[in-house]
Amino acid sequence: MSLFSVNKPLEPRSRQLVTISSFVLPILLWCLVSYVPFIWHPEVEITSPGSVNYFREGMLVDKPVFNTESDKASAAGKAVPEGIPANPIYLPAPHEVLTAFYTSFTTEPKRSSELWLHESLWSSIQVIFYGFLLSSIIGIPLGVLAGTYDFFSRLFEPFIEFFRYLPAPAFGALAVAVLGIYQAPKIAIIFIGTFFQQVLIVANTTRKLDPALLEAGQTLGANNRSMLFRIVLPGILPDLYRDTRILLGWAWTYLIVAELIGTSSGITWFITQQARYKNFDNVFAAIMMIGILGLTIDLLLAWFGRRLFPWQKAN
């Protein structure tokens, strides 16, 4: 089968290879940029300063500056500086980031008031959990009601459609003023960022329920309560579960914004501090940890979903 057949799934083996390639190709590109000097190395790492006073061993300078100083030293008959091609400090090589994955967990914070990386991660997970839980507890029932009954749709959705365009970060100062400076305003930002989208998405999913099921229930004389709890909810549960997985990823995107307000804690604080000290290998490691954590949670939820709704797999 061709790899590019329209609306046709790939063979299992091809699918696995393409999936692996989606990770391998960006890493390969990163390795090429990091380890192959003639591709992109705009700076020079000084190995010997020669006669240039302000050069220091290990210092990074722009390549034009290095060439200019080398030409001056050569023309004056003085010692010429030496160096090797290098990338800017904000683009560490893959092996440096891999090392940071270990050292960032084992390196003690510079100040006693700062958190270890595992403590920062745990703080962020708590913010995500409580923000998304509160959003789901309120948003899913409202979405189901709006998708089932036109009355609730007209009552909720116009305002929610308006409110969802208001950026959640704009409520940061207000959240701190109302809820204090600790975790509560961060949870509020996660809530605001996901709740309004959640209501609309769940309502849309509810409306996609097969009308034949509803007509069958009405024909058999089911009342409103039975229609809701015995036809609508069981009918949309697999899609509702899938929506929840997608929206959980949405909540992670608001984490960085949420943790910039209130007290300094969480993975965002760790990233900010490491960037301030120019430890960009730790910054890359922390960003990747967020991705790995989010992907792991999503894969676990997908695995759990296949066991909750086995007929979806058959379909």
Side-chain angles (χ1 to χ4, degrees):
M1 177 180 292
S2 169
L3 292 176
F4 305 102
S5 299
V6 175
N7 200 27
K8 298 288 185 184
L10 294 173
E11 297 288 343
R13 182 175 177 78
S14 299
R15 183 179 297 179
Q16 287 179 355
L17 288 174
V18 174
T19 302
I20 293 171
S21 299
S22 72
F23 287 92
V24 170
L25 289 177
I27 293 174
L28 182 60
L29 179 62
W30 185 14
C31 289
L32 286 173
V33 172
S34 299
Y35 298 127
V36 182
F38 56 81
I39 289 186
W40 189 68
H41 282 60
E43 297 189 345
V44 175
E45 181 181 350
I46 303 298
T47 56
S48 174
S51 59
V52 182
N53 292 330
Y54 67 92
F55 278 5
R56 297 288 181 272
E57 190 173 340
M59 177 182 179
L60 290 176
V61 296
D62 291 337
K63 193 173 285 184
V65 173
F66 178 83
N67 292 336
T68 301
E69 295 296 342
S70 296
D71 293 342
K72 287 181 180 177
S74 178
K78 297 180 179 177
V80 177
E82 297 177 2
I84 55 175
N87 280 330
I89 192 172
Y90 57 76
L91 185 63
H95 74 279
E96 294 173 324
V97 176
L98 280 176
T99 304
F101 262 90
Y102 172 74
T103 57
S104 56
F105 278 104
T106 57
T107 304
E108 189 174 355
K110 292 184 181 296
R111 298 184 181 89
S112 59
S113 59
E114 296 175 358
L115 298 176
W116 288 72
L117 177 57
H118 66 276
E119 293 173 323
S120 297
L121 274 175
W122 179 240
S123 172
S124 297
I125 291 171
Q126 287 179 305
V127 170
I128 288 283
F129 174 78
Y130 288 115
F132 190 70
L133 179 66
L134 287 173
S135 171
S136 299
I137 288 175
I138 303 173
I140 290 177
L142 287 184
V144 172
L145 288 175
T148 306
Y149 303 105
D150 192 44
F151 170 78
F152 289 110
S153 173
R154 300 293 177 185
L155 184 64
F156 299 145
E157 290 191 73
F159 178 74
I160 290 175
E161 284 280 7
F162 157 75
F163 209 94
R164 77 186 177 102
Y165 288 104
L166 305 183
F171 295 90
L174 182 61
V176 170
V178 175
L179 300 171
I181 60 171
Y182 297 103
Q183 297 290 65
K186 302 174 185 177
I187 294 171
I189 294 299
I190 299 291
F191 176 88
I192 294 171
T194 55
F195 170 75
F196 299 99
Q197 311 292 342
Q198 192 168 29
V199 172
L200 297 176
I201 289 174
V202 171
N204 191 49
T205 294
T206 306
R207 292 192 188 99
K208 290 180 179 177
L209 180 65
D210 187 354
L213 294 175
L214 299 175
E215 290 170 4
Q218 290 166 338
T219 303
L220 294 172
N223 57 27
N224 274 341
R225 182 184 175 84
S226 295
M227 290 283 289
L228 180 61
F229 289 101
R230 303 186 69 174
I231 296 178
V232 174
L233 282 178
I236 65 169
L237 266 182
D239 291 333
L240 192 59
Y241 186 84
R242 183 204 58 212
D243 290 346
T244 303
R245 279 178 52 204
I246 295 171
L247 286 162
L248 179 58
W250 203 318
W252 276 95
T253 64
Y254 280 101
L255 177 67
I256 298 298
V257 174
E259 288 186 335
L260 290 176
I261 64 173
T263 53
S264 303
S265 63
I267 192 67
T268 305
W269 172 248
F270 177 84
I271 291 172
T272 304
Q273 288 298 97
Q274 294 304 315
R276 183 174 299 169
Y277 301 137
K278 296 188 177 180
N279 297 329
F280 289 101
D281 49 351
N282 285 345
V283 172
F284 272 71
I287 291 172
M288 289 185 180
M289 282 175 202
I290 296 175
I292 292 172
L293 192 59
L295 181 61
T296 302
I297 292 173
D298 188 66
L299 290 175
L300 287 174
L301 290 175
W303 176 84
F304 193 58
R306 286 195 292 272
R307 278 142 188 82
L308 276 177
F309 314 108
W311 63 90
Q312 285 287 304
K313 185 179 179 181
N315 290 336

